[in-house]
């Protein structure tokens, strides 16, 4: 028994073809939206590529761009088929292509669904990329005279100001690296010498942070040096007072920014997938209803359309049997080739009679 069998007359077939034509052009517009989202995400990721450890995060925007292009191509072609289906003479040339095209649409919809899931599941990979990338970038904050790294200070400062964050996981991350360049240190000062000598690596570490970590909304002037020294500041308690520095780390801020963006894009792609599935089902009904017309010379006659010619169980069973036949055929061919090789390897024995 066919799955989702529907009876059609000419009026219903025309309405279905016209509706599908319109839906396909809406799908082309949706493909342009998906393409634009991928392009926008790619640009946003490239803006912060200096604070990312690798390019794995570009898999999502690249997939969105590809799906957008394919969606425009597939639905533009389907729109042409639906338009020509109103004329039996024009539709005849598309008949041999419809089954392969519908199979391609099926796999295309699987890819769209996969991309939508990836948009929701990339958070873990993005988090590790940002954590390692920010950690490495902070080490180069002081290298304002080093070619290739001289821009890093500005990048980090603008990042902390824009996203209202400080450090990788928090402001204390700045205590563990030397973020002040040696050219701005007075090595004749006893304090500087003592700080450098107190570290095994010979680094100048301070309990201070760059100016970009300061929260301008705080009523108190920013305390960015000797943050943990209560006696260095009047009426100040490091343990209990709310500091006038950004409390959130940049990894968390960027992760929230990109994750929310990807989740929104994933929801849009999921809606596009549902729309594409409905278009594919409608195209299949149109295809079968036109093929099942008993009298092509009578366009007014009724016909039947369906999704699957047999039930889902029977269709899966026949597909498995086809795969088994293909497997057996390959085994027979491999066996025949092996036998031919063995016969070729045998050399005839020649007996000489004297």
């Amino acid at each position: 028994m066919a799955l989702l069998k529907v009876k059609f007359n000419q009026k219903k077939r025309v309405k279905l073809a016209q509706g599908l034509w319109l839906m396909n052009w809406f799908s082309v517009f949706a493909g342009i939206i998906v393409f634009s989202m991928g392009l926008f995400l790619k640009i946003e990721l490239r803006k912060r590529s200096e604070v990312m450890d690798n390019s794995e995060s570009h898999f999502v925007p690249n997939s969105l761009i590809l799906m957008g292009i394919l969606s425009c191509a597939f639905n533009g072609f389907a729109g042409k088929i639906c338009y020509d289906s109103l004329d039996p003479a024009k539709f005849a040339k598309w008949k041999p292509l419809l089954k392969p095209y519908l199979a391609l649409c099926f796999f295309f919809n699987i890819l769209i669904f996969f991309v939508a899931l990836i948009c929701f599941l990339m958070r873990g990979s993005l988090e590790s990329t940002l954590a390692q990338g920010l950690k490495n970038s902070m080490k180069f904050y002081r290298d304002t005279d080093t070619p290739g790294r001289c821009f890093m200070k500005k990048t980090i400062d603008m990042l902390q100001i824009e996203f209202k964050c400080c450090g990788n996981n928090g402001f204390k991350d700045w205590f563990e690296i030397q973020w002040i360049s040696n050219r701005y240190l007075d090595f004749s000062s006893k304090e500087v010498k003592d700080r450098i000598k107190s570290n095994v690596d010979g680094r100048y570490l301070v309990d201070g942070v760059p100016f970009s970590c300061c929260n301008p909304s705080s009523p108190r002037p920013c305390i960015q040096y000797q943050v943990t020294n209560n006696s260095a500041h009047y009426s100040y308690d490091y343990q209990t007072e709310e500091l006038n520095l950004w409390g959130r780390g940049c990894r968390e801020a960027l992760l929230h920014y990109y994750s929310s963006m990807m989740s929104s894009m994933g929801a849009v792609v999921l809606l596009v997938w549902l729309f594409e599935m409905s278009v594919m089902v409608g195209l299949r009904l149109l295809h079968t209803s036109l093929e099942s017309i008993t009298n092509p010379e009578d366009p007014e006659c009724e016909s039947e359309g369906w999704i699957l010619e047999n039930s889902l169980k029977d269709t899966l069973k026949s597909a498995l049997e086809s795969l088994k036949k293909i497997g057996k055929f390959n085994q027979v061919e491999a066996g025949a080739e092996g036998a031919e090789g063995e016969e070729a390897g045998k050399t005839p024995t020649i007996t000489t009679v004297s």
Side-chain angles (χ1 to χ4, degrees), residues 55-95:
S55 58
E56 286 180 9
S57 53
H58 287 272
F59 177 75
V60 173
N62 291 341
S63 300
L64 290 172
I65 289 170
L66 179 61
M67 288 300 105
I69 294 171
L70 289 177
S71 179
C72 292
F74 272 94
N75 289 291
F77 183 69
K80 173 64 175 171
I81 292 174
C82 293
Y83 182 79
D84 286 350
S85 66
L86 298 172
D87 185 352
K90 289 182 179 179
F91 179 72
K93 65 181 179 181
W94 298 117
K95 275 188 177 182

Side-chain angles (χ1 to χ4, degrees), residues 72-118:
C72 292
F74 272 94
N75 289 291
F77 183 69
K80 173 64 175 171
I81 292 174
C82 293
Y83 182 79
D84 286 350
S85 66
L86 298 172
D87 185 352
K90 289 182 179 179
F91 179 72
K93 65 181 179 181
W94 298 117
K95 275 188 177 182
L97 298 174
L98 271 173
K99 279 189 178 180
Y101 174 75
L102 285 167
L104 285 174
C105 284
F106 178 73
F107 288 110
F108 172 66
N109 282 309
I110 291 174
L111 285 176
I112 290 182
F113 184 73
F114 175 72
V115 170
L117 287 181
I118 289 296

Side-chain angles (χ1 to χ4, degrees), residues 311-330:
S311 64
L312 184 61
K313 184 180 178 181
D314 292 338
T315 303
L316 290 173
K317 189 177 178 180
S318 61
L320 287 172
E321 286 176 358
S322 299
L323 289 173
K324 285 178 181 178
K325 286 179 182 178
I326 292 169
K328 287 178 180 179
F329 180 73
N330 290 334

Side-chain angles (χ1 to χ4, degrees), residues 72-340:
C72 292
F74 272 94
N75 289 291
F77 183 69
K80 173 64 175 171
I81 292 174
C82 293
Y83 182 79
D84 286 350
S85 66
L86 298 172
D87 185 352
K90 289 182 179 179
F91 179 72
K93 65 181 179 181
W94 298 117
K95 275 188 177 182
L97 298 174
L98 271 173
K99 279 189 178 180
Y101 174 75
L102 285 167
L104 285 174
C105 284
F106 178 73
F107 288 110
F108 172 66
N109 282 309
I110 291 174
L111 285 176
I112 290 182
F113 184 73
F114 175 72
V115 170
L117 287 181
I118 289 296
C119 289
F120 293 110
L121 300 175
M122 277 296 288
R123 181 183 173 92
S125 176
L126 187 62
E127 185 173 9
S128 60
T129 296
L130 286 169
Q132 191 60 40
L134 282 165
K135 185 178 179 181
N136 294 333
S137 301
M138 288 170 64
K139 293 177 182 178
F140 304 139
Y141 182 88
R142 63 174 182 168
D143 296 339
T144 51
D145 298 326
T146 306
R149 298 177 185 171
C150 54
F151 62 88
M152 194 56 71
K153 178 184 179 298
K154 180 182 177 182
T155 300
I156 296 292
D157 283 333
M158 293 302 294
L159 178 71
Q160 293 187 147
I161 291 170
E162 182 181 353
F163 286 90
K164 299 179 180 180
C165 59
C166 184
N168 187 353
N169 298 306
F171 67 90
K172 288 185 179 180
D173 293 333
W174 289 108
F175 299 173
E176 300 172 3
I177 62 171
Q178 181 182 337
W179 55 272
I180 301 173
S181 177
N182 287 338
R183 68 180 294 189
Y184 302 114
L185 295 175
D186 182 9
F187 286 95
S188 62
S189 169
K190 184 178 182 302
E191 182 187 351
V192 173
K193 288 180 181 179
D194 290 343
R195 283 192 177 274
I196 292 174
K197 286 179 182 178
S198 64
N199 289 289
V200 178
D201 298 333
R203 295 176 298 170
Y204 180 75
L205 304 180
V206 293
D207 57 341
V209 296
F211 78 97
S212 52
C213 283
C214 295
N215 182 358
S217 301
S218 174
R220 181 169 188 157
C222 185
I223 297 174
Q224 64 180 108
Y225 292 105
Q226 296 184 337
V227 176
T228 59
N229 187 358
N230 292 335
S231 60
H233 312 283
Y234 177 73
S235 185
Y236 177 76
D237 188 350
Y238 166 69
Q239 299 294 334
T240 59
E241 186 173 341
E242 184 179 350
L243 301 178
N244 50 8
L245 304 175
W246 300 119
R248 186 169 62 162
C250 290
R251 177 187 57 80
E252 182 187 347
L254 283 171
L255 184 63
H256 175 74
Y257 175 71
Y258 285 119
S259 294
S260 59
M261 188 186 297
M262 287 184 184
S263 297
S264 301
M265 290 179 178
V268 172
V269 175
L270 208 56
L271 289 174
V272 172
W273 172 74
L274 291 171
F275 196 74
E276 291 282 356
M277 286 293 292
S278 62
V279 170
M280 187 180 71
V281 169
L283 193 60
R284 174 62 176 168
L285 287 172
L286 179 65
H287 167 226
T288 51
S289 66
L290 289 170
E291 276 200 333
S292 63
I293 292 176
T294 53
N295 185 9
E297 294 180 0
D298 180 18
E300 301 286 339
C301 68
E302 290 189 348
S303 62
E304 290 183 340
W306 57 82
I307 304 300
L308 295 175
E309 193 170 359
N310 301 312
S311 64
L312 184 61
K313 184 180 178 181
D314 292 338
T315 303
L316 290 173
K317 189 177 178 180
S318 61
L320 287 172
E321 286 176 358
S322 299
L323 289 173
K324 285 178 181 178
K325 286 179 182 178
I326 292 169
K328 287 178 180 179
F329 180 73
N330 290 334
Q331 286 176 2
V332 170
E333 279 192 341
E337 287 176 2
E340 286 177 4

Side-chain angles (χ1 to χ4, degrees), residues 19-33 75 275:
L20 284 173
W21 179 83
L22 189 62
M23 288 176 71
N24 274 294
W25 287 111
F26 273 121
S27 295
V28 170
F29 180 68
I32 294 170
I33 291 174
N75 289 291
F275 196 74

